[in-house]
Amino acid sequence: MEKGKNKSIIDLVWDLFASVKLAVVIFSLIAVTSMVGTVLEQDAEPERNIQVLVKMFGVGHETAHSIYSVFDSLGFMNMYHSWWFVTFLLLFAANLIVCSLDRLPRILKLVRENVRPLSLEHLEKMSIRKSFAIKGSASSIKDDVTSSINKIGFKPSKAAAENGLQFYAEKGNFTRLGVYITHLSILIILAGAIIGLKFGFNGTLNLPEGQTAPVAFKDKGTQVPLGFELRCDNFDVEYYGDSDMPKSYRSWLTILKDGREVLKKVISVNDPLTYEGITFYQSSYGSVGENMNNGIIVLRVISSDGRSNKVNTKIGGTFTIPGSSIEGHVSNFSPALSVDQSGRPFTYDAGLKNPAIHVELPNVGGKPYSGWIFKRYPQTWRLPDGSSVEFLDYWGVEYTGLQVRKDPGVWIVYLGCIIMAAGLYITFFMSHKRLWVNVADGKGAAKIVIGASANRNRAAFERDIEKLAGLLGEATKGENR
Amino acid sequence: MSGSTSSVFFGLSTIAYIIAMVLYIGYLAFRKNKVGVVATAVTIVGFISQTLAILLRWKEFYEIGQMGWLRAVPLTNLYESLVFFVWCLILAYLVIEFRYKNRSFGAFITPVAGLVLAFIDISGMSKDIQPLVPALQSNWLLAHVMMSFISYAMFAVSFSTGLMYLIVRTEKRSEPAYLFWTIMLSVFILVLCAMGLDYMTFKISVKSQEELIKGYLFKATFRNSSSAIAFLSLGVSVAFTFFIWRFGGALKKVITGLNISAEILDEITYKSIAMGFPIFTLGGLIFGAIWADQAWGKYWTWDPKETWSLITWFFYAFYLHSRLMRGWKGKKVAMVAVLGFVAVIFTYLGVNLLLSGLHSYGSQ
């Protein structure tokens, strides 16, 4: 940067953005407002946040209401998307760019600068240094020195020095750029986020079993056309043991393009389906209340001699056991059946948690039979004569809750994350290491001075230098034998 | 049954850490080398049995869940995460003890470990193995949670060394840094005491620790229905803070007597943050975002947990920059390190227990 006496406005702005003070101010602004945003529930009903204010300040409802209006008009109720919070983020990005660019030329110079031979006085001042004498002369041991330095992972250059030779090498000078790689990654992530917000959408879709939808719904209920159709063929929940805690829930989805089936997939939480850039995530489920008694009961009826038949019926409908004329009748249904202490069955939930049908068969092995058959408990499927009625599904009464997302920026965000990981690794776990080995001829012995420096993790490099000194001693001993 | 075996090992490690605590304090007081060696040995025994306990629980979970080893990692509730936090903390301490050949620090770490484990026992926190809800059934679970806790343990170390650094380096009572650490320490002790009183007062009427903190936080003291008790608690707190402020010099003498120089404290603070920060960024923020993206299609939603992680990240990023670039070394950066850990605690516990309590209707 040119440092003239009369700074132009551009220079002044540049200096302002390059200053660490501004960075601190922006950091603090983002941090403090973010904290407020976690206390006030975002995008919620006004009454919820008024309750929060009542609890926090111990004020009356009226006062809380006026505090709420102030916060609301400032945009705090959806603050992460408010113009001023976005401005903070953009200022942060600008600050990051200018700060990095301001310092980059100097660092680049350091990175390009190659290690050069140094005087002995310089070596004595190094943070890591060793000096000792070994038998031989500079010219006789030079190959040993080179190979010893190679052994600790450096490729040395040679130069003539006073009374002998100097070997010098360096490694990892690019690691000084680690910080800037990390900074760059933050900008890439922000760019990816902006692309996602601009060209993508986030929506939801509650799709009942058996139905097809050409659109998804954004936050405020606006429709977003998908460009194809999505059908939910089936939905199912699997529970942990006897509990009502879901172990997994899955949707069988089909993509239809121009009326033709083009893709089928079973999705579950953590395992979405993507088609033409739009991804469907399993996020919730529920039952369609008004359909509850109109679903299709899917049964597999197996006769005692093993003949089986799949039957679709309804509440009040019938089924026959294959190979016989025995007819069964579904007389009752419960979406969630349990048994009370006196042994009476009752429905404990409106959702499809433990569906059961009551079947009546006038003649099973000569006797009439009636009983409850549970979808979740196969042991209730067997009938006294060895035939069985498997309750496979109660279909058409549940919907699958899907998150629908299109985000062309997500790959840029992922790329930014990878770069950030690399940048952090370089910054914190690698270092710029330099070493010099000066060999000077003396009376019958060579005086060796090692100087070395590392901008990070010096202790580890010190051990390497320790090893190098040991190698040099050994190599020359072998020669004199 | 392996369940009982794992709890036997857990019990053993709790006892070991408490004995180690007594030994380390004894070592500080009497400076007998033998006591120190025994303290280290007991800590190692505790650490090994805790490792075994965690592995056994992992195996047990694996057998119950039938979802593969990666998803059976015992890190899915408050109890398990606290246990793992203690494990990381002890590991970090043992590394420091061997690196710096100094045992004095043990007298500060083992009490934390012993207290956390004892707190788990007293509070009656649920120790049951709970099956995973579908959202948690992901291979990211292991990497995300484990790395987060490793970084939390690193930050905990930097918190205690940062605080010790401030104690050692402050001279005058009017100094901002002196005020900072005395108030910080007082608030820490007072909050713990107030929560202890809550527990003792209300333990009969509540079912779980979580409910206690959500519904009854400070109800025994500062938020008591009787305003006399509330004011009395406030008065006692002010008096206590004043006491710490007035006699903080005594603590300084204790720590100066430990043979730990301020430079080493500063170095440990920096090194643990320099380790913790990249681990936190990758494991906590990035893996968390990728996981959220795969589970819900949103890598960042500004929910309180995410936002507080980001605030924590800001604190430590600030620490690293101020230290590296502005030559801000010394007391100021130590204060940032201490504040950073306050943000960590809030991210880990505050968000779940306080903010969700604030947003619920039930407790009012």
mmCIF file of all heavy atoms in Angstrom, chain A residues 150-192:
data_model
loop_
_atom_site.group_PDB
_atom_site.id
_atom_site.type_symbol
_atom_site.label_atom_id
_atom_site.label_comp_id
_atom_site.label_asym_id
_atom_site.label_seq_id
_atom_site.Cartn_x
_atom_site.Cartn_y
_atom_site.Cartn_z
ATOM 1 N N ASN A 150 19.403 -35.302 4.902
ATOM 2 C CA ASN A 150 18.344 -36.000 4.163
ATOM 3 C C ASN A 150 17.523 -36.897 5.069
ATOM 4 O O ASN A 150 16.310 -37.012 4.915
ATOM 5 C CB ASN A 150 18.955 -36.866 3.049
ATOM 6 C CG ASN A 150 19.351 -36.024 1.850
ATOM 7 O OD1 ASN A 150 18.803 -34.953 1.639
ATOM 8 N ND2 ASN A 150 20.315 -36.504 1.085
ATOM 9 N N LYS A 151 18.241 -37.532 6.015
ATOM 10 C CA LYS A 151 17.552 -38.507 6.874
ATOM 11 C C LYS A 151 16.504 -37.854 7.759
ATOM 12 O O LYS A 151 15.554 -38.526 8.168
ATOM 13 C CB LYS A 151 18.569 -39.255 7.744
ATOM 14 C CG LYS A 151 19.091 -40.491 7.035
ATOM 15 C CD LYS A 151 20.036 -41.280 7.903
ATOM 16 C CE LYS A 151 20.815 -42.260 7.056
ATOM 17 N NZ LYS A 151 22.160 -42.473 7.578
ATOM 18 N N ILE A 152 16.684 -36.572 8.110
ATOM 19 C CA ILE A 152 15.607 -35.955 8.893
ATOM 20 C C ILE A 152 14.622 -35.217 7.986
ATOM 21 O O ILE A 152 13.790 -34.429 8.442
ATOM 22 C CB ILE A 152 16.134 -35.016 10.009
ATOM 23 C CG1 ILE A 152 16.913 -33.833 9.415
ATOM 24 C CG2 ILE A 152 16.979 -35.771 11.020
ATOM 25 C CD1 ILE A 152 17.055 -32.696 10.410
ATOM 26 N N GLY A 153 14.727 -35.506 6.672
ATOM 27 C CA GLY A 153 13.678 -35.042 5.774
ATOM 28 C C GLY A 153 13.913 -33.710 5.106
ATOM 29 O O GLY A 153 12.966 -33.083 4.638
ATOM 30 N N PHE A 154 15.132 -33.259 5.033
ATOM 31 C CA PHE A 154 15.419 -31.986 4.355
ATOM 32 C C PHE A 154 16.380 -32.213 3.194
ATOM 33 O O PHE A 154 17.196 -33.130 3.229
ATOM 34 C CB PHE A 154 16.056 -30.994 5.336
ATOM 35 C CG PHE A 154 15.078 -30.427 6.333
ATOM 36 C CD1 PHE A 154 14.725 -31.156 7.464
ATOM 37 C CD2 PHE A 154 14.527 -29.179 6.133
ATOM 38 C CE1 PHE A 154 13.825 -30.637 8.375
ATOM 39 C CE2 PHE A 154 13.634 -28.656 7.047
ATOM 40 C CZ PHE A 154 13.279 -29.397 8.170
ATOM 41 N N LYS A 155 16.293 -31.336 2.176
ATOM 42 C CA LYS A 155 17.228 -31.404 1.053
ATOM 43 C C LYS A 155 18.108 -30.161 1.107
ATOM 44 O O LYS A 155 17.668 -29.066 0.745
ATOM 45 C CB LYS A 155 16.462 -31.427 -0.273
ATOM 46 C CG LYS A 155 15.756 -32.755 -0.515
ATOM 47 C CD LYS A 155 15.410 -32.913 -1.988
ATOM 48 C CE LYS A 155 14.670 -34.210 -2.223
ATOM 49 N NZ LYS A 155 13.206 -34.027 -2.122
ATOM 50 N N PRO A 156 19.351 -30.306 1.566
ATOM 51 C CA PRO A 156 20.173 -29.116 1.811
ATOM 52 C C PRO A 156 20.846 -28.577 0.541
ATOM 53 O O PRO A 156 21.119 -29.305 -0.404
ATOM 54 C CB PRO A 156 21.219 -29.625 2.785
ATOM 55 C CG PRO A 156 21.353 -31.068 2.475
ATOM 56 C CD PRO A 156 20.023 -31.539 1.982
ATOM 57 N N SER A 157 21.082 -27.260 0.539
ATOM 58 C CA SER A 157 21.948 -26.638 -0.463
ATOM 59 C C SER A 157 23.293 -26.401 0.210
ATOM 60 O O SER A 157 23.392 -26.395 1.437
ATOM 61 C CB SER A 157 21.382 -25.294 -0.918
ATOM 62 O OG SER A 157 20.029 -25.434 -1.236
ATOM 63 N N LYS A 158 24.320 -26.208 -0.632
ATOM 64 C CA LYS A 158 25.663 -26.024 -0.075
ATOM 65 C C LYS A 158 26.194 -24.658 -0.492
ATOM 66 O O LYS A 158 25.915 -24.170 -1.577
ATOM 67 C CB LYS A 158 26.609 -27.093 -0.603
ATOM 68 C CG LYS A 158 26.654 -28.332 0.262
ATOM 69 C CD LYS A 158 27.755 -29.270 -0.178
ATOM 70 C CE LYS A 158 27.608 -29.733 -1.621
ATOM 71 N NZ LYS A 158 27.152 -31.082 -1.817
ATOM 72 N N ALA A 159 26.996 -24.070 0.366
ATOM 73 C CA ALA A 159 27.664 -22.823 0.004
ATOM 74 C C ALA A 159 28.996 -22.786 0.723
ATOM 75 O O ALA A 159 29.143 -23.383 1.804
ATOM 76 C CB ALA A 159 26.817 -21.624 0.391
ATOM 77 N N ALA A 160 29.954 -22.096 0.124
ATOM 78 C CA ALA A 160 31.246 -21.972 0.797
ATOM 79 C C ALA A 160 31.090 -21.021 1.978
ATOM 80 O O ALA A 160 30.366 -20.037 1.899
ATOM 81 C CB ALA A 160 32.280 -21.428 -0.174
ATOM 82 N N ALA A 161 31.741 -21.379 3.074
ATOM 83 C CA ALA A 161 31.712 -20.495 4.236
ATOM 84 C C ALA A 161 33.141 -20.291 4.700
ATOM 85 O O ALA A 161 34.075 -20.900 4.155
ATOM 86 C CB ALA A 161 30.867 -21.113 5.348
ATOM 87 N N GLU A 162 33.302 -19.465 5.675
ATOM 88 C CA GLU A 162 34.618 -19.198 6.220
ATOM 89 C C GLU A 162 35.246 -20.511 6.681
ATOM 90 O O GLU A 162 34.653 -21.244 7.473
ATOM 91 C CB GLU A 162 34.464 -18.276 7.435
ATOM 92 C CG GLU A 162 35.638 -17.342 7.611
ATOM 93 C CD GLU A 162 35.397 -16.433 8.796
ATOM 94 O OE1 GLU A 162 34.245 -15.960 8.938
ATOM 95 O OE2 GLU A 162 36.327 -16.234 9.565
ATOM 96 N N ASN A 163 36.390 -20.869 6.145
ATOM 97 C CA ASN A 163 37.096 -22.101 6.522
ATOM 98 C C ASN A 163 36.314 -23.372 6.272
ATOM 99 O O ASN A 163 36.521 -24.369 6.952
ATOM 100 C CB ASN A 163 37.472 -22.107 8.003
ATOM 101 C CG ASN A 163 38.594 -21.123 8.267
ATOM 102 O OD1 ASN A 163 39.416 -20.878 7.376
ATOM 103 N ND2 ASN A 163 38.607 -20.561 9.454
ATOM 104 N N GLY A 164 35.350 -23.354 5.385
ATOM 105 C CA GLY A 164 34.639 -24.611 5.191
ATOM 106 C C GLY A 164 33.375 -24.448 4.372
ATOM 107 O O GLY A 164 33.332 -23.699 3.405
ATOM 108 N N LEU A 165 32.352 -25.167 4.823
ATOM 109 C CA LEU A 165 31.117 -25.227 4.049
ATOM 110 C C LEU A 165 29.911 -24.933 4.935
ATOM 111 O O LEU A 165 29.952 -25.182 6.136
ATOM 112 C CB LEU A 165 30.931 -26.642 3.501
ATOM 113 C CG LEU A 165 31.717 -27.051 2.259
ATOM 114 C CD1 LEU A 165 31.576 -28.542 2.067
ATOM 115 C CD2 LEU A 165 31.220 -26.302 1.039
ATOM 116 N N GLN A 166 28.874 -24.410 4.299
ATOM 117 C CA GLN A 166 27.617 -24.296 5.048
ATOM 118 C C GLN A 166 26.516 -25.013 4.282
ATOM 119 O O GLN A 166 26.370 -24.834 3.069
ATOM 120 C CB GLN A 166 27.232 -22.842 5.270
ATOM 121 C CG GLN A 166 26.063 -22.739 6.236
ATOM 122 C CD GLN A 166 25.748 -21.315 6.649
ATOM 123 O OE1 GLN A 166 24.923 -20.657 6.047
ATOM 124 N NE2 GLN A 166 26.414 -20.842 7.687
ATOM 125 N N PHE A 167 25.753 -25.846 4.987
ATOM 126 C CA PHE A 167 24.597 -26.531 4.424
ATOM 127 C C PHE A 167 23.363 -25.851 4.980
ATOM 128 O O PHE A 167 23.303 -25.560 6.167
ATOM 129 C CB PHE A 167 24.586 -28.003 4.841
ATOM 130 C CG PHE A 167 25.813 -28.758 4.411
ATOM 131 C CD1 PHE A 167 27.001 -28.604 5.129
ATOM 132 C CD2 PHE A 167 25.789 -29.607 3.321
ATOM 133 C CE1 PHE A 167 28.141 -29.293 4.744
ATOM 134 C CE2 PHE A 167 26.922 -30.295 2.929
ATOM 135 C CZ PHE A 167 28.105 -30.140 3.639
ATOM 136 N N TYR A 168 22.379 -25.612 4.112
ATOM 137 C CA TYR A 168 21.173 -24.967 4.641
ATOM 138 C C TYR A 168 19.950 -25.508 3.912
ATOM 139 O O TYR A 168 20.029 -25.902 2.746
ATOM 140 C CB TYR A 168 21.270 -23.447 4.521
ATOM 141 C CG TYR A 168 21.576 -22.967 3.124
ATOM 142 C CD1 TYR A 168 20.551 -22.604 2.264
ATOM 143 C CD2 TYR A 168 22.893 -22.885 2.670
ATOM 144 C CE1 TYR A 168 20.825 -22.181 0.979
ATOM 145 C CE2 TYR A 168 23.179 -22.470 1.392
ATOM 146 C CZ TYR A 168 22.144 -22.123 0.539
ATOM 147 O OH TYR A 168 22.422 -21.721 -0.727
ATOM 148 N N ALA A 169 18.867 -25.558 4.631
ATOM 149 C CA ALA A 169 17.653 -26.133 4.059
ATOM 150 C C ALA A 169 16.438 -25.579 4.768
ATOM 151 O O ALA A 169 16.542 -25.048 5.872
ATOM 152 C CB ALA A 169 17.681 -27.657 4.199
ATOM 153 N N GLU A 170 15.306 -25.707 4.098
ATOM 154 C CA GLU A 170 14.056 -25.285 4.748
ATOM 155 C C GLU A 170 12.908 -26.148 4.250
ATOM 156 O O GLU A 170 13.011 -26.840 3.236
ATOM 157 C CB GLU A 170 13.759 -23.815 4.478
ATOM 158 C CG GLU A 170 13.350 -23.535 3.038
ATOM 159 C CD GLU A 170 13.072 -22.059 2.804
ATOM 160 O OE1 GLU A 170 12.643 -21.380 3.753
ATOM 161 O OE2 GLU A 170 13.292 -21.600 1.678
ATOM 162 N N LYS A 171 11.809 -26.109 5.014
ATOM 163 C CA LYS A 171 10.644 -26.894 4.650
ATOM 164 C C LYS A 171 9.402 -26.171 5.122
ATOM 165 O O LYS A 171 9.419 -25.516 6.170
ATOM 166 C CB LYS A 171 10.710 -28.264 5.335
ATOM 167 C CG LYS A 171 10.338 -29.403 4.408
ATOM 168 C CD LYS A 171 10.765 -30.727 4.928
ATOM 169 C CE LYS A 171 9.899 -31.272 6.033
ATOM 170 N NZ LYS A 171 10.242 -32.650 6.351
ATOM 171 N N GLY A 172 8.362 -26.271 4.356
ATOM 172 C CA GLY A 172 7.068 -25.758 4.811
ATOM 173 C C GLY A 172 6.959 -24.252 4.817
ATOM 174 O O GLY A 172 6.219 -23.715 5.643
ATOM 175 N N ASN A 173 7.677 -23.542 3.907
ATOM 176 C CA ASN A 173 7.482 -22.094 3.949
ATOM 177 C C ASN A 173 6.084 -21.684 3.498
ATOM 178 O O ASN A 173 5.594 -20.648 3.893
ATOM 179 C CB ASN A 173 8.568 -21.313 3.184
ATOM 180 C CG ASN A 173 8.921 -21.976 1.880
ATOM 181 O OD1 ASN A 173 8.354 -23.030 1.559
ATOM 182 N ND2 ASN A 173 9.830 -21.399 1.134
ATOM 183 N N PHE A 174 5.446 -22.579 2.742
ATOM 184 C CA PHE A 174 4.065 -22.252 2.343
ATOM 185 C C PHE A 174 3.101 -22.261 3.540
ATOM 186 O O PHE A 174 2.016 -21.710 3.459
ATOM 187 C CB PHE A 174 3.583 -23.261 1.297
ATOM 188 C CG PHE A 174 3.275 -24.611 1.871
ATOM 189 C CD1 PHE A 174 1.984 -24.915 2.257
ATOM 190 C CD2 PHE A 174 4.281 -25.565 2.062
ATOM 191 C CE1 PHE A 174 1.684 -26.143 2.803
ATOM 192 C CE2 PHE A 174 3.991 -26.789 2.610
ATOM 193 C CZ PHE A 174 2.690 -27.079 2.987
ATOM 194 N N THR A 175 3.526 -22.907 4.647
ATOM 195 C CA THR A 175 2.592 -23.008 5.776
ATOM 196 C C THR A 175 2.246 -21.640 6.345
ATOM 197 O O THR A 175 1.254 -21.494 7.041
ATOM 198 C CB THR A 175 3.155 -23.870 6.909
ATOM 199 O OG1 THR A 175 4.346 -23.250 7.394
ATOM 200 C CG2 THR A 175 3.454 -25.265 6.451
ATOM 201 N N ARG A 176 3.078 -20.638 6.026
ATOM 202 C CA ARG A 176 2.736 -19.296 6.483
ATOM 203 C C ARG A 176 1.434 -18.802 5.852
ATOM 204 O O ARG A 176 0.842 -17.837 6.310
ATOM 205 C CB ARG A 176 3.875 -18.332 6.151
ATOM 206 C CG ARG A 176 5.093 -18.572 7.027
ATOM 207 C CD ARG A 176 6.206 -17.626 6.704
ATOM 208 N NE ARG A 176 7.404 -17.936 7.458
ATOM 209 C CZ ARG A 176 7.637 -17.478 8.689
ATOM 210 N NH1 ARG A 176 6.785 -16.695 9.269
ATOM 211 N NH2 ARG A 176 8.749 -17.822 9.328
ATOM 212 N N LEU A 177 1.017 -19.479 4.763
ATOM 213 C CA LEU A 177 -0.221 -19.080 4.095
ATOM 214 C C LEU A 177 -1.463 -19.722 4.720
ATOM 215 O O LEU A 177 -2.582 -19.402 4.345
ATOM 216 C CB LEU A 177 -0.161 -19.448 2.608
ATOM 217 C CG LEU A 177 0.781 -18.596 1.761
ATOM 218 C CD1 LEU A 177 0.907 -19.180 0.378
ATOM 219 C CD2 LEU A 177 0.275 -17.165 1.690
ATOM 220 N N GLY A 178 -1.246 -20.653 5.683
ATOM 221 C CA GLY A 178 -2.365 -21.385 6.280
ATOM 222 C C GLY A 178 -3.475 -20.487 6.772
ATOM 223 O O GLY A 178 -4.663 -20.737 6.544
ATOM 224 N N VAL A 179 -3.083 -19.400 7.437
ATOM 225 C CA VAL A 179 -4.071 -18.465 7.978
ATOM 226 C C VAL A 179 -4.943 -17.903 6.856
ATOM 227 O O VAL A 179 -6.163 -17.795 6.995
ATOM 228 C CB VAL A 179 -3.350 -17.314 8.702
ATOM 229 C CG1 VAL A 179 -4.339 -16.255 9.145
ATOM 230 C CG2 VAL A 179 -2.570 -17.843 9.882
ATOM 231 N N TYR A 180 -4.281 -17.593 5.723
ATOM 232 C CA TYR A 180 -5.031 -16.973 4.625
ATOM 233 C C TYR A 180 -5.927 -17.983 3.939
ATOM 234 O O TYR A 180 -7.004 -17.639 3.452
ATOM 235 C CB TYR A 180 -4.052 -16.291 3.659
ATOM 236 C CG TYR A 180 -3.291 -15.237 4.418
ATOM 237 C CD1 TYR A 180 -2.054 -15.521 4.994
ATOM 238 C CD2 TYR A 180 -3.862 -14.003 4.676
ATOM 239 C CE1 TYR A 180 -1.394 -14.590 5.769
ATOM 240 C CE2 TYR A 180 -3.220 -13.065 5.454
ATOM 241 C CZ TYR A 180 -1.981 -13.353 5.992
ATOM 242 O OH TYR A 180 -1.364 -12.443 6.776
ATOM 243 N N ILE A 181 -5.476 -19.230 3.911
ATOM 244 C CA ILE A 181 -6.336 -20.294 3.364
ATOM 245 C C ILE A 181 -7.596 -20.406 4.221
ATOM 246 O O ILE A 181 -8.714 -20.511 3.719
ATOM 247 C CB ILE A 181 -5.565 -21.631 3.313
ATOM 248 C CG1 ILE A 181 -4.381 -21.502 2.345
ATOM 249 C CG2 ILE A 181 -6.478 -22.773 2.903
ATOM 250 C CD1 ILE A 181 -3.452 -22.688 2.336
ATOM 251 N N THR A 182 -7.401 -20.345 5.557
ATOM 252 C CA THR A 182 -8.548 -20.420 6.452
ATOM 253 C C THR A 182 -9.490 -19.237 6.221
ATOM 254 O O THR A 182 -10.711 -19.409 6.135
ATOM 255 C CB THR A 182 -8.076 -20.440 7.912
ATOM 256 O OG1 THR A 182 -7.047 -21.408 8.050
ATOM 257 C CG2 THR A 182 -9.210 -20.774 8.856
ATOM 258 N N HIS A 183 -8.918 -18.039 6.107
ATOM 259 C CA HIS A 183 -9.756 -16.861 5.857
ATOM 260 C C HIS A 183 -10.531 -17.010 4.549
ATOM 261 O O HIS A 183 -11.727 -16.729 4.485
ATOM 262 C CB HIS A 183 -8.888 -15.602 5.798
ATOM 263 C CG HIS A 183 -8.402 -15.160 7.143
ATOM 264 N ND1 HIS A 183 -7.572 -14.087 7.324
ATOM 265 C CD2 HIS A 183 -8.636 -15.660 8.376
ATOM 266 C CE1 HIS A 183 -7.313 -13.941 8.615
ATOM 267 N NE2 HIS A 183 -7.939 -14.883 9.275
ATOM 268 N N LEU A 184 -9.827 -17.475 3.526
ATOM 269 C CA LEU A 184 -10.462 -17.668 2.226
ATOM 270 C C LEU A 184 -11.644 -18.631 2.342
ATOM 271 O O LEU A 184 -12.709 -18.414 1.762
ATOM 272 C CB LEU A 184 -9.431 -18.196 1.221
ATOM 273 C CG LEU A 184 -9.951 -18.465 -0.182
ATOM 274 C CD1 LEU A 184 -10.256 -17.145 -0.877
ATOM 275 C CD2 LEU A 184 -8.956 -19.269 -0.997
ATOM 276 N N SER A 185 -11.436 -19.686 3.155
ATOM 277 C CA SER A 185 -12.494 -20.690 3.266
ATOM 278 C C SER A 185 -13.763 -20.082 3.863
ATOM 279 O O SER A 185 -14.870 -20.443 3.468
ATOM 280 C CB SER A 185 -12.015 -21.873 4.096
ATOM 281 O OG SER A 185 -11.939 -21.522 5.454
ATOM 282 N N ILE A 186 -13.595 -19.155 4.806
ATOM 283 C CA ILE A 186 -14.783 -18.512 5.394
ATOM 284 C C ILE A 186 -15.541 -17.761 4.305
ATOM 285 O O ILE A 186 -16.772 -17.836 4.219
ATOM 286 C CB ILE A 186 -14.366 -17.550 6.524
ATOM 287 C CG1 ILE A 186 -13.732 -18.321 7.671
ATOM 288 C CG2 ILE A 186 -15.572 -16.753 7.029
ATOM 289 C CD1 ILE A 186 -13.161 -17.447 8.759
ATOM 290 N N LEU A 187 -14.794 -17.062 3.455
ATOM 291 C CA LEU A 187 -15.441 -16.305 2.372
ATOM 292 C C LEU A 187 -16.143 -17.242 1.398
ATOM 293 O O LEU A 187 -17.241 -16.961 0.923
ATOM 294 C CB LEU A 187 -14.395 -15.459 1.632
ATOM 295 C CG LEU A 187 -13.753 -14.364 2.487
ATOM 296 C CD1 LEU A 187 -12.605 -13.707 1.745
ATOM 297 C CD2 LEU A 187 -14.785 -13.329 2.897
ATOM 298 N N ILE A 188 -15.508 -18.388 1.108
ATOM 299 C CA ILE A 188 -16.130 -19.352 0.195
ATOM 300 C C ILE A 188 -17.443 -19.858 0.786
ATOM 301 O O ILE A 188 -18.466 -19.957 0.103
ATOM 302 C CB ILE A 188 -15.166 -20.525 -0.096
ATOM 303 C CG1 ILE A 188 -13.955 -20.006 -0.883
ATOM 304 C CG2 ILE A 188 -15.864 -21.632 -0.868
ATOM 305 C CD1 ILE A 188 -12.880 -21.034 -1.116
ATOM 306 N N ILE A 189 -17.418 -20.154 2.101
ATOM 307 C CA ILE A 189 -18.637 -20.652 2.750
ATOM 308 C C ILE A 189 -19.739 -19.592 2.677
ATOM 309 O O ILE A 189 -20.894 -19.884 2.353
ATOM 310 C CB ILE A 189 -18.348 -21.062 4.207
ATOM 311 C CG1 ILE A 189 -17.472 -22.319 4.218
ATOM 312 C CG2 ILE A 189 -19.647 -21.316 4.973
ATOM 313 C CD1 ILE A 189 -16.959 -22.711 5.576
ATOM 314 N N LEU A 190 -19.357 -18.332 2.960
ATOM 315 C CA LEU A 190 -20.357 -17.257 2.889
ATOM 316 C C LEU A 190 -20.914 -17.128 1.469
ATOM 317 O O LEU A 190 -22.130 -16.968 1.273
ATOM 318 C CB LEU A 190 -19.740 -15.927 3.334
ATOM 319 C CG LEU A 190 -19.550 -15.747 4.844
ATOM 320 C CD1 LEU A 190 -18.808 -14.454 5.148
ATOM 321 C CD2 LEU A 190 -20.895 -15.754 5.555
ATOM 322 N N ALA A 191 -20.013 -17.237 0.474
ATOM 323 C CA ALA A 191 -20.460 -17.133 -0.921
ATOM 324 C C ALA A 191 -21.441 -18.256 -1.236
ATOM 325 O O ALA A 191 -22.497 -18.031 -1.856
ATOM 326 C CB ALA A 191 -19.266 -17.187 -1.863
ATOM 327 N N GLY A 192 -21.115 -19.474 -0.794
ATOM 328 C CA GLY A 192 -22.001 -20.618 -1.025
ATOM 329 C C GLY A 192 -23.359 -20.396 -0.385
ATOM 330 O O GLY A 192 -24.397 -20.711 -0.966
#
